[in-house]
Every structure is written in C-alpha cells, then in structure tokens.
Amino acid sequence: MKTKLFTISIAALALTMFAGDFGSVGLVIVDRKHDGEPLRTGVVYLGSPAERAGIKPNGFLISVDGTNVVSMSLTQSMSFVRGPIGTDVTLELADSTRSHTNKFTVTRQRTVFSGHGADMKVEFFDH
C-alpha cells in the first residue's frame, strides 16, 4: 500500500511542479522508508541548483526556510520547496545518522524535462 501512495504522491508532485511559474531546485524528495523518520533526498539532477549547492542523495529533510517539515507529508513539504523562479529556498538536511545538519540555500530555476526513461534530459534556466 505504501508503494502505491508513494507513486500517487510523485504523480501529484510532477503535475504541480509544472503548473505556473514555479521553480525547481533539481532535487527529488522521496517518501519515508519507515514511520517516524523524515523525508529523504533522492535524485539530485546533474547541473541543478541543488547539485551546485552540494546537496547529496540520502539526506534527511529537516526544515525548509526554517519551517520544520519532519512530520509533514511529502506533498506538504514539497509545497515549501517549490516557489517562484529566481527566489531562494534554504533546506536543512541531516546526515544518515541524524546527528549533524547542514543548511543549503538554493535558487529555484525553471526546469525543463524532455524525453523519458533512460533518455530523459533535465535542463535548468534562470528565467
């Protein structure tokens, strides 16, 4: 059941990400593996603002712009990460042991996806 909900959440996220002039940081946030743990960072796209900021996969998402998102749903948390193109967002991520956190300030960019599967290409633009 959790896999099905995860798939639906990703589909909803993809639809909302392309609506309006919302920007992306080039980071996939994935759902919890276990109840009670924070969401995790997944894919960090090459050339993305997240990659340039030094964000790596498998970190735990603790806060977005100072708002604690540990107990929020994937959809709620992503609504804090998305925002107008050209604006900054600060992500606080914990390491795999959750004993140390780092803050990364990333500028949202227009993101264009083309192709699909192994041929998918992701590009980031300032406007």
Side-chain angles (χ1 to χ4, degrees):
M1 184 67 165
K2 190 161 186 123
T3 302
K4 187 173 186 177
L5 290 175
F6 177 70
T7 304
I8 292 168
S9 294
I10 292 296
L13 172 62
L15 288 173
T16 58
M17 196 167 97
F18 296 111
D21 288 335
F22 281 100
S24 164
V25 297
L27 171 67
V28 175
I29 305 293
V30 296
D31 214 343
R32 297 163 176 82
K33 291 182 181 180
H34 307 285
D35 290 339
E37 76 176 13
L39 300 168
R40 290 180 182 261
T41 57
V43 173
V44 179
Y45 291 105
L46 294 175
S48 70
E51 182 197 39
R52 291 191 306 272
I55 295 175
K56 305 285 185 208
N58 297 314
F60 287 102
L61 182 62
I62 305 301
S63 71
V64 179
D65 283 337
T67 299
N68 185 315
V69 297
V70 171
S71 61
M72 287 186 189
S73 71
L74 176 62
T75 304
Q76 287 174 310
S77 297
M78 287 308 300
S79 71
F80 284 92
V81 175
R82 289 187 315 269
I85 294 168
T87 60
D88 290 341
V89 61
T90 300
L91 306 176
E92 182 179 9
L93 302 173
D95 62 12
S96 61
T97 64
R98 289 188 259 171
S99 62
H100 184 270
T101 65
N102 284 314
K103 291 183 180 178
F104 301 87
T105 300
V106 185
T107 303
R108 298 170 177 110
Q109 291 187 298
R110 184 169 63 92
T111 307
V112 176
F113 293 84
S114 58
H116 61 285
D119 295 326
M120 186 169 72
K121 183 178 177 183
V122 183
E123 296 177 281
F124 299 92
F125 302 91
D126 291 331
H127 48 1

